[in-house]
Amino acid sequence: MIFPDNPPVHISGAYRDPSRRAAGLPGAPARGRPRELGSTAPGNPLWITAIVCMLAVAPAMSVRADQIVMDKTNYPGAKIVGLQEGQLQFRSADGSLQTVWLHDVRLINVDRGGIFDDFNQAERFFAGGEHDRAIVRYRRTLRLSEDFWTDLIAARLTLACDAAEQLDTAVLNLIRVINGRFAGPPAAARLIPREIPAESGKRVMRAVEQLHAALAKDPDDPQRALLKLVRYEILQGTGDRRAIPAAPEIAAISIPPSARSQRVYAIQLRAFEEALADDVEPAELSSLDIAIRDCPDEILPSFLLLKGRTLLRTAATREELIRASWPSLRVAVHFRNDSRAAEGLHDAALALERLGRPDKARELLQECLGHKWLTPQTQSLAETARARLLAPGASPD
């Protein structure tokens, strides 16, 4: 690896060791000895389907405990004890306290009877892909729920409405989660709808109106940040022209700690890409540094690549070109097992080419083309750059 002029170790305190990522991933079981189940292919959880079928005929079995089912982990014999800062808390069969994010839960079965019969049926429908039928039962349960269950059911209803492509009802329930006493911004930041229509329509218009109304109630900073981000996501996703002038405002938001998630920063990243596409203001670069400092590790390489490309595009001096290469090199060095590392190598090579170091640029491009996780798009860019540097008349180092 070739480093131009010894880049410093930190950018605004942004770098974090990627080896620590797994320890802080939302939804990782906290403690205890859950029963590990065999891995299944994403999108085909056959063992979860088996559990759903078993529970569908289980009333006569007199289940005497709650059950929490994750992607690869099953907690039978559990007891749900609460919802705190958006995370479901329960005691597993061995008595240890577990904490998981609601969006990571595949299925919840509650042993308490009454309104929870409807809730359990909703959960089975949701896990089985019958989203419309799940929504009916979640709504029925929500009307009679109390305490933390209201927030929990609203969160599950948000997920079901999103899966059913009912954007307006998904947003309505997301707002309930944002304002919830037990869920609030930490849960809502992980429940932002993903099924955004390609074009505007009645559901989109209602969703945007609901967000406008919620913002008019003078929410606190974390709530306001999420409401604005969700509104931008909808406008941008549907091609609404209002998203373009809104991008600088969204990019300028310093995401409060309770509203941070990979999903939130993915939305803000798109706002930065729009805001930095033309003229670049110093304040925008400062906001980008704040995002780099605070964002989750999973999306950090994307922010670093954006900073490097922005600096490279606007660099006018040798010193500026050197600085432009640093973020890209950090991605290449510290995220080796990520396809974005190959992008970092390509981008750093472009900086070295402009610095008058074509031989060093070729070395980086060769490393890029040999990267284990090289994508076809990055491969095409790297091959084009290498061909340019190998063309007759290309200046040697």
Side-chain angles (χ1 to χ4, degrees):
M1 178 68 64
I2 297 89
F3 293 85
D5 299 2
N6 299 318
V9 176
H10 298 282
I11 296 179
S12 303
Y15 170 67
R16 278 125 335 152
D17 185 349
S19 66
R20 298 166 52 195
R21 278 183 280 180
L25 286 176
R31 295 193 301 275
R33 297 185 297 276
R35 178 155 57 97
E36 294 295 336
L37 300 166
S39 63
T40 58
N44 187 28
L46 298 180
W47 68 272
I48 294 177
T49 302
I51 289 176
V52 172
C53 294
M54 179 187 72
L55 292 175
V57 296
M61 297 170 60
S62 186
V63 179
R64 297 186 178 276
D66 302 331
Q67 184 173 14
I68 313 297
V69 181
M70 310 292 288
D71 272 336
K72 296 182 180 179
T73 311
N74 181 21
Y75 294 92
K79 193 67 176 178
I80 295 172
V81 298
L83 189 67
Q84 185 172 7
E85 295 183 349
Q87 291 184 288
L88 179 66
Q89 294 184 322
F90 61 93
R91 292 201 176 276
S92 58
D94 66 359
S96 61
L97 184 65
Q98 306 290 330
T99 304
V100 295
W101 291 106
L102 284 172
H103 75 292
D104 287 329
V105 177
R106 284 285 190 149
L107 184 143
I108 302 171
N109 190 71
V110 186
D111 73 341
R112 306 178 193 195
I115 67 168
F116 291 105
D117 290 339
D118 262 337
F119 176 78
N120 290 340
Q121 188 64 58
E123 284 287 298
R124 290 193 283 272
F125 282 139
F126 183 34
E130 298 183 74
H131 305 127
D132 291 335
R133 299 178 74 182
I135 289 168
V136 172
R137 285 156 180 80
Y138 279 134
R139 282 175 168 165
R140 199 153 57 199
T141 309
L142 187 61
R143 296 190 193 105
L144 301 173
S145 62
E146 298 177 347
D147 199 45
F148 69 88
W149 288 104
T150 300
D151 287 8
L152 188 156
I153 295 166
R156 302 300 280 176
L157 183 52
T158 300
L159 290 170
C161 291
D162 183 30
E165 299 183 4
Q166 297 182 16
L167 180 62
D168 51 345
T169 49
V171 167
L172 176 64
N173 286 286
L174 180 69
I175 293 171
R176 287 174 175 162
V177 174
I178 289 174
N179 295 328
R181 173 185 170 193
F182 300 95
R190 293 159 175 82
L191 298 171
I192 296 173
R194 296 178 180 275
E195 299 299 328
I196 310 296
E199 297 180 356
S200 184
K202 290 183 179 179
R203 287 192 181 276
V204 170
M205 293 172 61
R206 282 195 293 266
V208 172
E209 289 170 1
Q210 290 163 359
L211 293 164
H212 281 318
L215 283 164
K217 295 179 180 179
D218 193 28
D220 62 23
D221 288 346
Q223 294 170 330
R224 182 182 301 106
L226 284 176
L227 292 167
K228 288 185 175 182
L229 282 156
V230 174
R231 183 175 62 183
Y232 175 78
E233 172 75 338
I234 294 172
L235 295 176
Q236 198 265 344
T238 57
D240 193 304
R241 285 188 159 190
R242 289 175 290 179
I244 297 174
E249 178 189 4
I250 300 303
I253 295 175
S254 178
I255 310 295
S258 64
R260 293 173 187 167
S261 74
Q262 184 177 352
R263 178 85 170 100
V264 163
Y265 279 99
I267 296 171
Q268 191 178 46
L269 177 65
R270 288 195 292 275
F272 270 113
E273 289 170 345
E274 180 69 41
L276 297 172
D278 297 317
D279 295 334
V280 179
E281 301 293 335
E284 292 173 332
L285 289 176
S286 296
S287 295
L288 182 58
D289 279 339
I290 292 172
I292 288 172
R293 181 193 68 195
D294 297 335
C295 72
D297 287 336
E298 293 84 354
I299 201 166
L300 176 58
S302 295
F303 275 99
L304 288 171
L305 288 173
L306 177 60
K307 179 173 182 177
R309 289 163 184 169
T310 301
L311 293 177
L312 183 60
R313 192 180 79 244
T314 58
T317 66
R318 180 178 179 80
E319 182 179 7
E320 289 174 347
L321 285 169
I322 292 171
R323 290 184 179 277
S325 70
W326 294 344
S328 304
L329 285 170
R330 276 184 183 74
V331 176
V333 172
H334 298 303
F335 296 88
R336 292 179 182 273
N337 294 320
D338 190 303
S339 64
R340 289 167 291 186
E343 294 183 56
L345 289 166
H346 167 267
D347 293 356
L350 298 185
L352 285 170
E353 180 184 7
R354 288 181 58 184
L355 280 166
R357 306 289 299 277
D359 62 332
K360 304 301 183 185
R362 285 192 293 269
E363 288 182 32
L364 287 185
L365 290 172
Q366 190 62 36
E367 187 174 349
C368 169
L369 290 168
H371 195 276
K372 181 180 180 179
W373 304 110
L374 179 67
T375 65
Q377 182 179 13
T378 304
Q379 179 180 359
S380 176
L381 292 171
E383 287 175 345
T384 299
R386 185 176 64 173
R388 182 176 62 249
L389 289 168
L390 292 174
S395 59
D397 213 9

